Amino acid sequence: MTRYLLRSVAPLGAERTDLLLGDGVILAVGADAREAAGRDAVVVDGDGLVALPGLVDLHTHLREPGREDTETVRSGTRAAAAGGFTAVHAMANTDPVADTAGVVEQVWRLGRDAGYADVRPVGAVTIGLAGERLAELGAMATSAARVRVFSDDGKCVWDPVLMRRALEYTRAFDGVVAQHAQEPRLTQGSQMHEGAVSAEIGLAGWPAVAEEAIIARDVLLAEHVGGRLHVQHLSTAGSVEIVRWAKARGIRVTAEATPHHLLLTDELARTYDPVFKVNPPLRTAEDVEAVRAGLADGTIDVVATDHAPHAAQDKDCEWSAAAFGMTGLETALSVVQHVMVDDGPFGWADVARVLSVTPAAIGGVTDHGRPLEAGEPASLVLVDPAARTVVDPAAQATASRNSPFAGRELPGAVRWTFLRGHATLADGVLTEADR
Amino acid sequence: MRHLLDAGDLSRDEAVGLLDVAEAMARTQSRQIKKLPALRGLTVVNLFFEDSTRTRISFEAAAKRLSADVINFSAKGSSVSKGESLKDTAQTLRAIGADAVVVRHSASGAPHRLAHAGWIDTPVVNAGDGTHQHPTQALLDAFTLRRHLADGTGDLQGRHVVLVGDVLHSRVARSNVQLLHTLGARVTLVAPPTLLPVGVEDWTCDVSFDLDTAVDGGAPAGAPDAVMMLRVQRERMTSGYFPSEREYARRYGLDRARVDRLPEHAIVMHPGPMNRGLEISAEAADSPRSTVVEQVANGVSVRMAVLYTLLAGQDPAQAAADITRTETR
C-alpha cells in the first residue's frame, strides 16, 4: 500500500506539521513522520493546506437502486470524494425503498465495491415510506449494513403514534429517527416558502409553521419516551428556537442544516428557475440569519448536504412541474467556509465538528470523524482555503447538474481526500479505485 | 419592451403609452373595414395549456385585425396531453416559425420560463399564468377605467379602485394591484382573510375584510370610483375557504343594495366569466354602471396594442403616433 507523507499541513487550521499515512492509518505525526517516511513514500506538498478528518454526510441521496439515470452509488460516492467526504448516509427513498435488510445490504455493498466513500444506508421508518407500518428496523440494524439512522426522508412520519413507536423501538439498538418535518395537510401542493415572495409571484406557499409544528411535537414525543430524534434540514427561525428550547430541557435531539439553507433565500424563486426548488424550500433572509446563528451557537449540530440529484428533464421545465432538490456534495465545504469561516465565527476545528465529528457520532460511524493523531484511521481531507472556484455543474463528478450554486464563485477547494490511507482524490483529481 | 410577462414590469410611461396605442386601435375598430396591415406576414401562436375561450378569441381577433397569421395550439387533443414538455412544445413552435407566442398556462411562471429559459427567442405575451399574472387583463381594466374616469387620456392619478373576492388565487388581482399603483390609483382589496395571501401586507394597496365599509367610502381610502368583482370558484368552498355560497354572497357579493350606495359616477367591473348570484347579483351585473361587456371589447384593442408594440419593436409612444397617422391618411 502506498505511503503518503503530507508535508507542512495545518491540522484543523492549527500549527503546521507532517503526517505519515500508511496501512490505512496515520502512522506518525511531526518529526516522527519525516523520519519514518522512508524513500518510497509519496510526498504531498501541503503548504497552505488545512487537514480535516474526512467529512461525513448524514443526508445524501444516491438514487440507486431505481434512478441510476440521475446518480449511482459509484457516481455519488465519487462526488462525495471530490467534496472531501469519506462517509455518506444514503437515504431510503430509492426504488425499491430501503426498508428491508436486503436492500440496505445491497446499497452498503455497492458502496464498498466502488471504494470512494463508506456508504451507510439509512433505513426507512415505515414500509414503503407509506407512513402506515414500521419497517423491520431491527433487521436493518443487525444486517451487515449496521443501520443506525432511520428516516422516511421526503415524507414526514406524520402519524404521532407511529412516530412515538419509532422513537421508542429504536432505543433497543441506539438508533436515531431522522425526521423530515413537514405537516402534510398544511403543505398540499406547496411550491415555495409562504411569505411576501410567494404572495407576489403566485406560487403555492409552504408555511414555516408546517415544519415547526412537527418539530415541536417530535421533541415532546422524544422527551416522553426517551428516544433519540434528529431533525433533518431545519430551515426556519422558529425551528431553531424550538430546538434550542428542547436542548435546554435536556431532550435528546440533534439537528442539521443544509448548505443551501445557510446561503440562499426565497428571492431566487423570482427567476422561476426550478434549480432553486427544494424541500423544505429556501426561506427568507431572516431565517438564513437564524439558521447561521443556530449553527454558530451549537443549537444546530451538523451541516448535511441533502444532495438530491435530478434528471435534466425534471428541472428544465416550468416550476410547478419540476422535482424538489439540489445537488450539494461538491459544494458543501466551500459554502460552509464562505458562510461560517470567512464571513462567520468558525475556525477549522468548528468546521470539522459540524461536517465530520458530530455527524459521525450521530450516525454511529465509529471510524470516521476521528482526531488527526498517530494510530487513528487515515480518513482525512486536505483543503486549500485560499482557492476560489466558479461552480460549474458540468465539471462535477455527480451524474446530475442541478446545482443552485452554478456560476457562483465560492472559496476553498478540496485537494486531497484519503479513505483509510487510499487517495480517492489526488491533487484535485479523482483516482481510480485500486481495491 | 421585449415581452409582456408581468404588469409590474411596466413603467408608468410604458403603461400610458400602451393605453394610448389601444385608444388609437379602438378608433380604427369603428371603421367599416377594421383590418390593419401592420403585422402582415407575421405569425402569432396562441399557446393555451388551460381552457380559456374568452381570452383566446380576444387575442385571435386582435392578431387577425392586425393581419397576422394566427395558429391556435390548445393543450387538449394535442401532444401536450400525451406528456410533451413545455420545452419541446416551445421548440416545435420555433421550428414552425412563430414570431410571437401568446401563452396561457396553469403553472405560475410558465411564460417567464418560455421567455428566459433559452428555448425560444420570440416575444412572449403572458395570457394568464396560474395564480401569478394576467397583464393584458390589467391593461384592459385600466383602459376601461381611464375612459370612464379620466377622459381616456393620461394615468389614473388619485382614483380609487376596490377589488373584491378571491385575491389569493387571482392573477387578475395581482396584475391590477401593480398596474393601478403604477398609474397612480389607490387600490383597496376586500376579501375574507382566508382568500388573501400571507404577505399581502407588503402590497401597494389597502386591505379590508368588510365590503360595506368599502362601498360606503369608509376608511381606509375613501369613496370608490370603481368596484371590481373577482370570480370566486365554487370549489374554494369545499376546501374550507368560506363556509357556504350564501354566506359568501351575503358578506362579499355585490348586490343591488350595495350598488345603490356607491357614488353616482362609480362603475362596476368584472373580468368574466361571472357567477351570477355568488360574487355578483344579476341586477348588479346588468346595471347601467356595469362595464362587463365593454371590458370585452376593450380587451381586443388592448391586445392589438400589445402585439403591435412587441412585434413592430417600437416604444409605445412611437407606436401610438404611427397608428394615428394611418387613421388620418
Side-chain angles (χ1 to χ4, degrees):
Chain A
M1 187 177 184
T2 311
R3 288 182 166 202
Y4 291 92
L5 179 63
L6 314 183
R7 293 291 307 270
S8 194
V9 298
L12 308 184
E15 204 171 316
R16 293 179 189 191
T17 187
D18 299 343
L19 301 175
L20 180 65
L21 315 184
D23 302 329
V25 297
I26 300 174
L27 289 170
V29 178
D32 294 350
R34 287 189 294 281
E35 275 171 32
R39 289 202 176 160
D40 56 341
V42 174
V43 176
V44 174
D45 176 10
D47 190 30
L49 303 185
V50 170
L52 303 173
L55 310 183
V56 178
D57 192 16
L58 267 179
H59 196 144
T60 313
H61 295 274
L62 293 179
R63 300 289 188 228
E64 188 177 5
R67 284 307 298 268
E68 293 82 355
D69 59 321
T70 61
E71 198 82 288
T72 61
V73 171
R74 180 181 157 83
S75 68
T77 52
R78 280 169 63 86
F85 290 87
T86 52
V88 295
H89 288 76
M91 282 298 152
N93 62 340
T94 49
D95 184 14
V97 171
D99 57 2
T100 63
V103 177
V104 294
E105 286 192 351
Q106 181 199 2
V107 171
W108 173 73
R109 285 209 180 81
L110 285 167
R112 198 185 54 178
D113 294 348
Y116 285 95
D118 287 349
V119 173
R120 295 297 308 260
V122 172
V125 175
T126 66
I127 295 171
L129 310 176
E132 287 162 8
R133 291 168 52 208
L134 285 184
E136 290 189 348
L137 309 183
M140 291 188 272
T142 52
S143 73
R146 295 192 302 112
V147 175
R148 288 295 176 274
V149 182
F150 298 90
S151 178
D152 278 0
D153 181 54
K155 293 187 176 177
C156 182
V157 181
W158 172 80
D159 180 338
V161 176
L162 205 53
M163 186 62 184
R164 173 199 168 136
R165 299 283 182 249
L167 285 165
E168 285 177 314
Y169 192 77
T170 48
R171 294 179 63 191
F173 33 85
D174 195 29
V176 57
V177 181
Q179 174 73 294
H180 172 114
Q182 177 180 4
E183 212 293 323
R185 290 273 294 145
L186 283 170
T187 51
Q188 271 178 2
S190 294
Q191 296 291 327
M192 67 171 293
H193 174 67
E194 181 168 281
V197 179
S198 68
E200 188 180 328
I201 73 172
L203 289 173
W206 197 129
V209 62
E211 174 174 311
E212 293 154 3
I214 293 293
I215 296 174
R217 180 200 76 178
D218 286 352
V219 296
L220 293 171
L221 283 173
E223 179 177 46
H224 183 56
V225 302
R228 193 150 69 91
L229 171 70
H230 177 70
V231 179
Q232 297 182 302
H233 42 50
L234 181 156
S235 69
T236 77
S239 299
V240 177
E241 284 301 308
I242 294 164
V243 171
R244 193 175 281 134
W245 173 86
K247 286 189 164 184
R249 274 173 77 93
I251 297 169
R252 296 172 76 203
V253 58
T254 54
E256 73 189 29
T258 69
H260 45 272
H261 289 117
L262 286 167
L263 184 59
L264 308 177
T265 71
D266 62 343
E267 290 289 336
L268 290 164
R270 291 184 189 279
T271 64
Y272 288 105
D273 184 343
V275 78
F276 301 115
K277 180 176 176 179
V278 66
N279 191 19
L282 300 178
R283 304 288 188 183
T284 67
E286 292 74 39
D287 291 306
V288 168
E289 278 309 309
V291 171
R292 289 180 185 186
L295 183 62
D297 71 15
T299 301
I300 296 168
D301 302 82
V302 306
V303 173
T305 66
D306 197 3
H307 176 82
H310 284 293
Q313 69 271 16
D314 293 325
K315 287 291 189 181
D316 205 8
C317 57
E318 57 274 32
W319 181 284
S320 56
F324 288 99
M326 31 184 75
T327 60
L329 283 169
E330 290 163 85
T331 44
L333 185 56
S334 288
V335 172
V336 171
Q337 183 190 332
H338 169 47
V339 170
M340 299 304 292
V341 180
D342 296 354
D343 292 343
F346 268 17
W348 288 101
D350 299 307
V351 174
R353 174 170 52 79
V354 302
L355 275 168
S356 178
V357 178
T358 308
I362 292 170
V365 189
T366 50
D367 54 348
H368 290 266
R370 303 291 304 167
L372 298 173
E373 293 168 4
E376 295 288 352
S379 297
L380 55 98
V381 54
L382 302 183
V383 186
D384 178 4
R388 296 195 70 86
T389 317
V390 175
V391 177
D392 174 13
Q396 292 184 329
T398 171
S400 290
R401 300 287 168 261
N402 52 307
S403 171
F405 306 110
R408 254 177 215 262
E409 189 181 84
L410 291 174
V414 177
R415 293 288 181 230
W416 293 78
T417 306
F418 295 94
L419 176 62
R420 280 183 293 279
H422 288 285
T424 53
L425 184 79
D427 203 16
V429 179
L430 284 164
T431 61
E432 288 309 308
D434 56 352
R435 290 148 289 267
Chain B
M1 234 173 88
R2 168 82 177 136
H3 308 286
L4 180 63
L5 303 174
D6 198 318
D9 292 342
L10 294 170
S11 68
R12 184 234 172 238
D13 288 349
E14 281 174 327
V16 171
L18 279 170
L19 297 179
D20 290 344
V21 179
E23 281 291 355
M25 292 294 181
R27 285 193 291 275
T28 69
Q29 297 308 296
S30 57
R31 299 181 195 167
Q32 194 171 11
I33 296 173
K34 296 183 170 62
K35 203 157 181 164
L36 300 173
L39 301 183
R40 192 153 54 201
L42 298 178
T43 300
V44 173
V45 174
N46 285 326
L47 181 56
F48 275 59
F49 292 88
E50 197 182 63
D51 284 339
S52 172
T53 310
R54 305 165 67 95
T55 303
R56 185 182 58 72
I57 62 175
S58 180
F59 269 106
E60 187 172 352
K64 284 182 170 167
R65 293 203 189 148
L66 292 168
S67 304
D69 295 316
V70 178
I71 297 172
N72 287 313
F73 187 109
S74 82
K76 284 206 171 141
S78 74
S79 48
V80 174
S81 55
K82 296 172 195 156
E84 185 176 75
S85 72
L86 183 61
K87 177 181 179 174
D88 289 334
T89 303
Q91 291 182 337
T92 300
L93 298 181
R94 180 166 72 175
I96 286 168
D99 295 296
V101 176
V102 175
V103 61
R104 160 72 65 102
H105 203 290
S106 60
S108 297
H112 192 279
R113 286 289 280 165
L114 267 184
H116 296 298
W119 304 330
I120 49 172
D121 50 12
T122 59
V124 174
V125 180
N126 182 357
D129 62 327
T131 56
H132 178 220
Q133 283 276 323
H134 195 354
T136 59
Q137 178 71 43
L139 282 165
L140 77 88
D141 289 336
F143 182 89
T144 306
L145 285 161
R146 198 173 79 150
R147 281 197 158 178
H148 283 268
L149 304 174
D151 298 326
T153 61
D155 60 19
L156 294 168
Q157 193 64 42
R159 302 299 187 278
H160 179 210
V161 182
V162 174
L163 271 71
V164 187
D166 183 0
V167 176
L168 178 63
H169 300 96
S170 177
R171 51 195 172 213
V172 176
R174 281 173 180 76
S175 300
N176 263 301
V177 167
Q178 290 178 341
L179 187 65
L180 291 172
H181 175 73
T182 300
L183 291 171
R186 289 172 299 152
V187 178
T188 301
L189 298 175
V190 178
T194 47
L195 290 175
L196 289 164
V198 168
V200 73
E201 55 280 2
D202 291 351
W203 291 10
T204 52
C205 59
D206 292 305
V207 174
S208 167
F209 306 140
D210 186 59
L211 180 56
D212 287 312
T213 307
V215 162
D216 294 334
D225 298 302
V227 176
M228 189 185 302
M229 306 307 296
L230 302 170
R231 179 179 168 80
V232 173
Q233 296 186 346
R234 288 193 156 83
E235 66 256 30
R236 303 298 174 215
M237 187 183 69
T238 50
S239 314
Y241 288 99
F242 52 89
S244 71
E245 286 189 27
R246 292 320 311 155
E247 170 141 327
Y248 185 87
R250 274 195 299 274
R251 291 176 65 84
Y252 296 100
L254 189 66
D255 57 12
R256 175 70 165 278
R258 284 174 174 139
V259 170
D260 288 345
R261 275 155 43 212
L262 289 170
E264 204 165 332
H265 70 281
I267 58 172
V268 171
M269 307 176 75
H270 194 298
M274 294 184 282
N275 289 306
R276 288 174 182 248
L278 182 52
E279 73 266 8
I280 190 165
S281 73
E283 296 100 312
D286 298 332
S287 82
R289 294 159 178 273
S290 166
T291 60
V292 175
V293 178
E294 194 185 326
Q295 285 169 265
V296 176
N298 292 344
V300 177
S301 303
V302 160
R303 285 163 183 137
M304 288 174 76
V306 168
L307 290 173
Y308 181 76
T309 304
L310 289 179
L311 279 168
Q314 289 169 328
D315 69 67
Q318 183 61 42
D322 288 355
I323 291 295
T324 308
R325 210 174 316 122
T326 71
E327 287 176 70
T328 52
R329 216 179 273 159

